[in-house]
Amino acid sequence: MADTSEVLVLSCACGQKMKIPADGMGRTFKCVRCGAHIKVSEENSAPLPSQAPPPAEKPPAPEKPPAPEREPAEPPAAQKPIGDLLVGAGLITEEQLAEALSRQKSQGGKTFEILLALGYLDKDALHAFLSRQPGIANIDLSRFNISPELVNLIPKKLAVENLVLPIDQLGKLLTVAMACPLDVATIQLIERTTGLKVKAMLCKLEDIHAAVQKYYPERKHFELSPSSFDHLPGASAPRDKVDEKLKKWNGMMVSGERLKQIAEEIAPPEVTLDLVTAVVLNEPALGATLLRIANSELYGLRGQVDSIPMAVAVIGKPGIQQFLTEFLEPADPKAIAIIAPWVETSLRAAQYARDLARESGVLGPHVAYSLGLVSELGRMAMALVSPLQYKRVKSNLHGEPLAQAELKVFTMDHCEVAGMLGVQWHLPASITRPLEYYLAPKEAKEMAPQCHLLALAVGLANKADEDREKVLAAYSASIEALGISADAVRKIVGSAR
């Protein structure tokens, strides 16, 4: 065999490389792969890499001056908080992020879910943004059939609270589906819990909601049950205790007797879904409960169901019957007695809101009616979680005087409570924002018209027996903001009486 110092490497057009003698220049060789005849030239041959002559020694490079100190580099995108990334992408503003982070600090939850609930972020826009991030793969959850053994790797509480689902395991690598794979804190939590390395995949928000519900089904009864505060002495109830109790409240505002009556009323086969809707539209407390259920993870429609008719359609008659007879835990009858006077007020507010919406075009009539129907949500919640304390607030108050009285007793008012519950229950922004800001429409910014509509509807409902002209004068700013005339409002009030 020739010495390696006398060997060339010949390259064929098919990609095959062959060793040939160094004196083969100009000769023809046959390719061992394709059989082509190749004439050796400088273009298709070269010495073995190890036999190539060493490069000439270069003189040492002159010393470079030390580089000037620079600002620390920006962290990689995956290490940045999701809120900062969304601001950088122009999907939200700094002010919107600040509000979401403030709510997160007091109420908990995921930044992106709070932004979605507030109406600042669109779920499709979020998904499209995450799909464009480096290293993030998109999957279709409907193609996966997950075994119980795999599901059990992640506890239900962790899966439900963080919207995460295990979909595959290979050795020490656990692949999970997430609505936000940039949620580093959740990934680290799963790794600590399972002892596995986690690879996160992106899936649609509605898909992960549906999948989590499928693989981690709800218990027969809601986990939380209503209860009252122990008697708290002093001028005001501690804010942290009120906040804690509101978070644990199961949201029920209907007595067991009334739940049974409604179930019997809608039970006959001839009762259509339209008739069920008509029943619920006259039950403010039940309407609020169905809005909560329809926007829960049960139906994969968080933050999308903004009216009672839509909630009834989503849950369906069989579903409503099942909730009424099996799942819903009734509220304390003593507490129900406290909120009874506000039921009629809510119904009047709903009717006024619907008619004002038709006149102004600010909201759809169904959404406006539903908004008016839950206008007392914050007040009812405070009374039901702490009946003893709320008795200290005069029942005939409304608007700003009511808020001031509540602040003295609870250090929070019904507007703040309604906003907190709206986010906690994943109600749409078209419901949550007006409930929270109807006493201060300017703070709601782009939703100021909806707040003016609710403020006027609630004012008219609470002052139905007062001088009509004085009421119109008191709400002249809202009438002007809605772009309607005082005569139009007079007509609406007159037709409602």
Side-chain angles (χ1 to χ4, degrees):
M1 181 178 176
D3 187 86
T4 55
S5 63
E6 300 176 349
V7 174
L8 294 175
V9 176
L10 176 63
S11 300
C12 178
C14 72
Q16 179 68 37
K17 297 184 183 296
M18 300 170 288
K19 292 179 182 179
I20 62 172
D23 61 358
M25 190 66 65
R27 294 164 58 187
T28 300
F29 292 85
K30 184 178 180 179
C31 177
V32 297
R33 175 190 288 180
C34 66
H37 290 81
I38 312 161
K39 187 175 181 179
V40 182
S41 65
E42 291 184 356
E43 286 75 20
N44 60 16
S45 66
L48 279 173
S50 60
Q51 301 302 316
E57 194 172 312
K58 294 182 180 179
E63 285 192 18
K64 294 182 180 179
E69 290 189 8
R70 295 187 299 175
E71 292 292 322
E74 286 261 331
Q79 295 179 11
K80 282 187 176 182
I82 180 65
D84 292 343
L85 292 174
L86 294 171
V87 171
L91 294 178
I92 60 171
T93 66
E94 292 278 3
E95 293 76 15
Q96 290 169 340
L97 175 59
E99 181 179 348
L101 293 176
S102 175
R103 287 177 178 271
Q104 185 182 47
K105 186 176 180 181
S106 62
Q107 303 170 17
K110 301 290 181 186
T111 307
F112 74 91
E113 283 211 292
I114 296 173
L115 288 165
L116 288 169
L118 290 173
Y120 294 152
L121 183 63
D122 178 76
K123 63 181 178 65
D124 293 329
L126 172 65
H127 185 80
F129 166 75
L130 292 172
S131 299
R132 296 192 297 268
Q133 300 308 300
I136 291 184
N138 200 345
I139 61 167
D140 180 1
L141 265 183
S142 64
R143 298 172 57 190
F144 289 83
N145 187 19
I146 305 168
S147 69
E149 293 77 19
L150 192 58
V151 171
N152 290 335
L153 288 174
I154 296 181
K156 176 180 177 179
K157 188 174 187 295
L158 192 158
V160 172
E161 291 182 356
N162 296 281
L163 292 179
V164 61
L165 188 72
I167 57 175
D168 189 36
Q169 182 187 4
L170 183 61
K172 289 290 185 180
L173 180 65
L174 179 65
T175 303
V176 301
M178 298 179 68
C180 181
L182 298 184
D183 187 352
V184 177
T186 294
I187 291 173
Q188 292 173 343
L189 176 59
I190 299 168
E191 289 181 337
R192 290 195 301 270
T193 303
T194 63
L196 302 172
K197 182 69 177 175
V198 168
K199 177 182 178 183
M201 309 286 280
L202 173 66
C203 65
K204 290 185 177 180
L205 186 61
E206 56 267 31
D207 290 349
I208 190 70
H209 280 309
V212 167
Q213 178 56 36
K214 174 183 176 181
Y215 290 104
Y216 298 94
E218 289 288 316
R219 291 171 53 183
K220 183 177 179 181
H221 293 281
F222 288 117
E223 294 179 1
L224 303 176
S225 58
S227 61
S228 302
F229 279 107
D230 291 329
H231 183 68
L232 296 170
S236 63
R239 183 187 178 91
D240 59 338
K241 291 186 178 296
V242 177
D243 187 64
E244 179 185 357
K245 184 60 68 174
L246 283 167
K247 287 179 180 178
K248 290 182 177 180
W249 178 49
N250 77 342
M252 275 306 300
M253 296 177 283
V254 187
S255 68
E257 182 181 357
R258 186 61 187 136
L259 286 175
K260 183 179 178 182
Q261 288 175 349
I262 297 172
E264 292 174 351
E265 191 174 342
I266 69 172
E270 63 271 18
V271 175
T272 64
L273 201 60
D274 286 342
L275 291 176
V276 174
T277 301
V279 171
V280 179
L281 287 174
N282 284 296
E283 294 285 341
L286 180 59
T289 298
L290 294 186
L291 275 175
R292 177 191 181 185
I293 294 170
N295 282 285
S296 72
E297 64 271 8
L298 286 170
Y299 299 96
L301 292 171
R302 279 189 176 184
Q304 299 180 54
V305 183
D306 58 3
S307 72
I308 303 299
M310 186 178 178
V312 172
V314 166
I315 302 170
K317 180 180 173 180
I320 293 173
Q321 287 177 294
Q322 192 172 26
F323 275 107
L324 291 172
T325 57
E326 298 181 36
F327 293 162
L328 297 182
E329 297 179 12
D332 182 348
K334 293 180 181 178
I336 290 294
I338 298 176
I339 70 172
W342 309 324
V343 172
E344 286 300 319
T345 304
S346 298
L347 287 169
R348 286 198 299 270
Q351 293 165 1
Y352 286 136
R354 176 197 60 205
D355 294 343
L356 290 169
R358 286 172 175 163
E359 185 69 29
S360 66
V362 165
L363 273 176
H366 285 313
V367 179
Y369 187 94
S370 303
L371 178 59
L373 204 65
V374 298
S375 58
E376 299 282 9
L377 174 62
R379 189 176 194 177
M380 289 180 174
M382 297 173 79
L384 288 174
V385 299
S386 183
L388 294 174
Q389 292 295 327
Y390 207 83
K391 281 183 177 179
R392 296 166 56 192
V393 179
K394 292 182 179 179
S395 60
N396 62 343
L397 295 177
H398 66 274
E400 193 60 43
L402 171 64
Q404 293 301 321
E406 290 168 336
L407 285 170
K408 290 180 181 179
V409 177
F410 292 97
T411 65
M412 61 173 66
D413 60 32
H414 65 283
C415 297
E416 184 178 355
V417 170
M420 186 188 84
L421 290 175
V423 172
Q424 185 176 313
W425 295 358
H426 308 287
L427 300 184
S430 55
I431 298 290
T432 300
R433 300 284 285 177
L435 287 177
E436 183 173 10
Y437 290 108
Y438 83 94
L439 293 181
K442 288 183 179 179
E443 295 183 25
K445 299 178 182 177
E446 71 277 3
M447 284 201 177
Q450 293 91 322
C451 294
H452 279 294
L453 184 146
L454 183 60
L456 181 55
V458 171
L460 293 172
N462 278 279
K463 296 188 176 187
D465 298 327
E466 296 184 22
D467 181 85
R468 186 183 304 176
E469 296 307 312
K470 287 184 179 179
V471 174
L472 293 179
Y475 290 93
S476 59
S478 291
I479 295 172
E480 183 180 354
L482 291 174
I484 58 180
S485 66
D487 284 340
V489 180
R490 291 187 185 97
K491 186 177 179 181
I492 289 172
V493 174
S495 64
R497 287 187 171 182

